[in-house]
Amino acid sequence: MVMSKELAESRSAVKTNSLTVIQAINNGLNVMLGKDKHTLILGEDVGKNGGVFRATDGLQEKFGENRVVDTPLSEAGFVGAAVGMAFNGLRPIVEIQFLGFIYPAFEQIATHVTRTRTRTLGHYNLQMVIRAPYGSGVRSPEIHSDSVEAFFAHMPGIKVVCPSNAYDAKGLLIAAIEDPDPVLFLEPMRLYRGKREDVPEAKYSVELGKGKLVEQGDDVTVLAWGAMMPVALTATEQMRQHGITCDVIDLRTLYPLDKDIISESVQKTGRVVIVHEGHETGGVGSEIISIINNTSFLYLRAPMERVTGFDVPVPLFALENDYLPTPERVSQAIRKVVNF
Amino acid sequence: MKVRYPLFQIIDKDGNLTNQKYEDKLTGDKAKLLYYHMTRIRTYDQKGVALQRQGRIGTYVPFAGQEASQVGSALALADDDWMFPTYRDHGASLTFGADLDRMLLHWNGRMEGCLPSRKKNILPASIPIATHLPHAAGAAMAETYKGTNNAAIAYFGDGATSEGDFHEGLNIASVFKAPVVFFNQNNGFAISLPVERQMNSETIVQKSEAYGIQGVRVDGMDVFAVHIAVQEALERARNGEGPTLIEAVTIRFGAHTTADDPSKYRDQEKINRMRDEVDPILRLERFMTMNGMWDEEWVKQINAVIKDEINTAIEAMESYKKPDVAIMFDHVFEKPTWTIEQQRQNLLRVGGRK
Ligand SMILES: Cc1ncc(C[n+]2csc(CCOP(=O)(O)OP(=O)(O)O)c2C)c(N)n1
């Protein structure tokens, strides 16, 4: 990965801490509330309770009840209020408790969050972030496990971001907060308390709209993001032992997609496997296929494969690991494109 | 507003009769029936928490403290009425006639656990807050349309009153005079948010005025008061007088769910200390003792029956056949679409996870 000068410096000179994804998010919020008095956090149970996952732990104590606001149980209410705040110069960071509970606010997002800049010809921009834990695999109750990034990637006017590790989580979150346009920031619940990483203590950002090549290979391009990254990497590690090597790309931003990193890799390997946990039909994978069709069609050596969640409501947790893509399914797809 | 909507109570926390008007309704048989059901769901609730701790089920939602609200309301329903519960109202569902084995399967993450009751119109618990209130209105409207005498009840918490669906559900039901009871359990908290910060209204019941419907504020720890308030609301509904909003004032004794730590946001020790004083089951026991209805032998007997019933259901849950992956594909449509069929076949070929 090419690091910006600032980033490289922050990595070598500045103090780092070993953090989990959830701690890195907490840290990113902490840094931004400290830097910019126009930012504030809104959501259910974010204040005294520090969030149901503790993403905002300690922040109300530090910044006060005006900056970290426990709202009524009203997603349309507080997302709508955030729109009004953003009209009026604030930079709200909204927490939706689980992505599956964003639906009451769908109206606000589809008709206002995403359209305000356009319908005021740029007079008003909404500098706001909507954070939401998403995904299956942690034995949550019904509706808590949805992975519906595609709804939002489809909506013109909002960027969609999804980190897969602690370093990116903090850097992308800060970039999202500083972005002049609305950003939906999806947090993989399944990775919240997984692997720790060295995360710089200071402010840094990871550019939106840029994927990252996390593993290099020659035979297949494997594209994933969020909670599917470890699944993809387990599969490619298994394949390596069979002599098949893969480029593994963490897309990190789902709208706008990093078409250059995708096409560069595909033009090298000629084979593609896309892994996502959202439903297959109309998933972000379809859009990636379309990009490859436009940029790299003549380089393809096999039909592209998708390994995704199924076209069914996410099942209760006894079957969640059957719903979710597994390393076995990913390996199969890799074999299929190689053996075509 | 508290003056306008005084708390409807029949027995106080010491078990004394405070409302003579209903004295003749407080028979020994009625008291025993209510006591039996409250004891049954409390035993089940304690078991639920224990099963979660032992890793035998997933996240569990305890309702201790709310037994009088759930049992008093559920036992007021007629056989063909409709019940629309939330995730916390499994006590009410079980009392009305939900199946214990299926309820446990639900907590065990099994899709079979969402199968409705074998006997009654009980919907699977609604998890997205307040979304089921318009359903209750609609089911009630359908009963009117069909010319029956049946009604519907929707359960929801104090937090739910902040959602748009609460207001839309009440409004549509009020316009069409739907035979529905909106049964609110105001347990003081929506996860960590105390009700005083949920809303600026002094009571929940006063919201009934905005929709021009009846409102009743009831002591949710008094099973007789809840029972009679819901009976009266259902009677009005069946008589074509439209919906009622009932606010049952109650207490959630424990955590929001087994994944929650209430000491983060409230003085849980204080609640633990006052439990016995305000406990709805002990209140009924005090009343029964004072009125010569308490029968030690009978209590022993029902406790044994309850324990047996619950243990049998746990065994059934744990020996239930292994989950079949096909079940997630088979019920999306009456006839699976080609994408679902293809995905199903692919998964079965790979064999799913190991
Ligand atoms: C639309 C929606 N938003 C958020 C949640 C997450 N959540 C689950 S329970 C709960 C609090 C509900 O409080 P209340 O309505 O008072 O009912 P109680 O849990 O106290 O019975 C929240 C915020 C949800 N289930 N649905």
Side-chain angles (χ1 to χ4, degrees), chain B residues 216-318:
Chain B
V216 181
R217 195 159 156 271
V218 58
D219 182 344
M221 308 304 260
D222 174 358
V223 70
F224 287 122
V226 172
H227 188 59
I228 286 167
V230 177
Q231 274 182 336
E232 290 178 351
L234 286 165
E235 224 170 271
R236 282 193 296 275
R238 297 188 215 283
N239 290 338
E241 293 169 53
T244 300
L245 172 63
I246 296 180
E247 173 183 359
V249 181
T250 180
I251 302 172
R252 187 189 89 204
F253 283 164
H256 169 70
T257 69
T258 50
D260 173 54
D261 172 12
S263 66
K264 262 300 256 181
Y265 53 79
R266 70 179 192 185
D267 187 350
Q268 184 59 32
E269 282 306 310
K270 189 174 142 203
I271 291 176
N272 296 347
R273 278 195 305 276
M274 69 184 221
R275 255 182 95 139
D276 281 2
E277 194 189 328
V278 299
D279 189 293
I281 303 184
L282 292 175
R283 181 188 302 206
L284 182 59
E285 180 181 331
R286 290 176 196 125
F287 168 84
M288 289 170 79
T289 308
M290 279 157 44
N291 291 279
M293 299 168 180
W294 190 250
D295 174 348
E296 210 53 66
E297 264 316 299
W298 175 79
V299 173
K300 263 198 208 132
Q301 214 182 325
I302 62 162
N303 276 327
V305 170
I306 289 167
K307 211 171 130 195
D308 213 48
E309 183 200 3
I310 293 171
N311 286 338
T312 308
I314 293 171
E315 267 169 44
M317 180 263 290
E318 293 192 321

Side-chain angles (χ1 to χ4, degrees), chain A residues 47-48 60 64-66 68-73, chain B residues 158-159 162 188-190 192-201:
Chain A
K48 213 164 180 186
Q60 190 182 65
E65 292 188 4
N66 291 337
V68 183
V69 185
D70 276 322
T71 64
L73 208 179
Chain B
D158 37 291
S162 295
F189 282 86
S192 70
L193 195 70
V195 66
E196 303 76 43
R197 308 198 62 175
Q198 185 69 245
M199 60 187 199
N200 196 39
S201 330

Side-chain angles (χ1 to χ4, degrees), chain B residues 171-183:
Chain B
N171 186 59
I172 201 162
S174 73
V175 167
F176 297 104
K177 283 207 173 342
V180 53
V181 177
F182 294 106
F183 187 75

Side-chain angles (χ1 to χ4, degrees), chain A residues 15-82:
Chain A
K15 197 172 167 257
T16 63
N17 295 306
S18 174
L19 302 182
T20 60
V21 169
I22 191 81
Q23 289 169 334
I25 289 167
N26 180 277
N27 184 241
L29 293 167
N30 193 346
V31 167
M32 290 311 284
L33 288 186
K35 284 254 182 245
D36 179 355
K37 67 176 185 350
H38 293 98
T39 57
L40 77 170
I41 294 174
L42 302 168
E44 291 154 7
D45 308 289
V46 297
K48 213 164 180 186
N49 198 35
V52 294
F53 290 104
R54 306 286 179 254
T56 53
D57 207 20
L59 298 181
Q60 190 182 65
E61 253 168 13
K62 181 165 174 190
F63 295 101
E65 292 188 4
N66 291 337
R67 301 285 306 283
V68 183
V69 185
D70 276 322
T71 64
L73 208 179
S74 170
E75 290 80 8
F78 62 77
V79 172

Side-chain angles (χ1 to χ4, degrees), chain A residues 54 132 165 185 205 212-213 243 291 293 303 317:
Chain A
R54 306 286 179 254
N165 58 68
F185 190 82
S205 58
K212 182 176 164 191
L213 185 64
I291 286 174
N293 185 59
F317 68 76

Side-chain angles (χ1 to χ4, degrees), chain B residues 318-337:
Chain B
E318 293 192 321
S319 58
Y320 204 78
K321 60 181 186 313
K322 286 220 163 352
D324 174 3
V325 298
I327 196 175
M328 72 173 139
F329 298 100
D330 289 349
H331 306 281
V332 187
F333 294 101
E334 182 167 332
K335 198 165 161 276
T337 57

Side-chain angles (χ1 to χ4, degrees), chain A residues 18 29 44 59 63 80 90 100 104 135 172 211 225 228 246 257 260 269 271 278 286-287 290 301:
Chain A
S18 174
L29 293 167
E44 291 154 7
L59 298 181
F63 295 101
L90 301 186
L172 287 168
W225 58 87
M228 288 301 105
C246 304
L257 284 163
D260 295 340
T269 64
R271 301 184 188 90
S286 315
E287 201 50 43
S290 171
R301 301 207 252 169

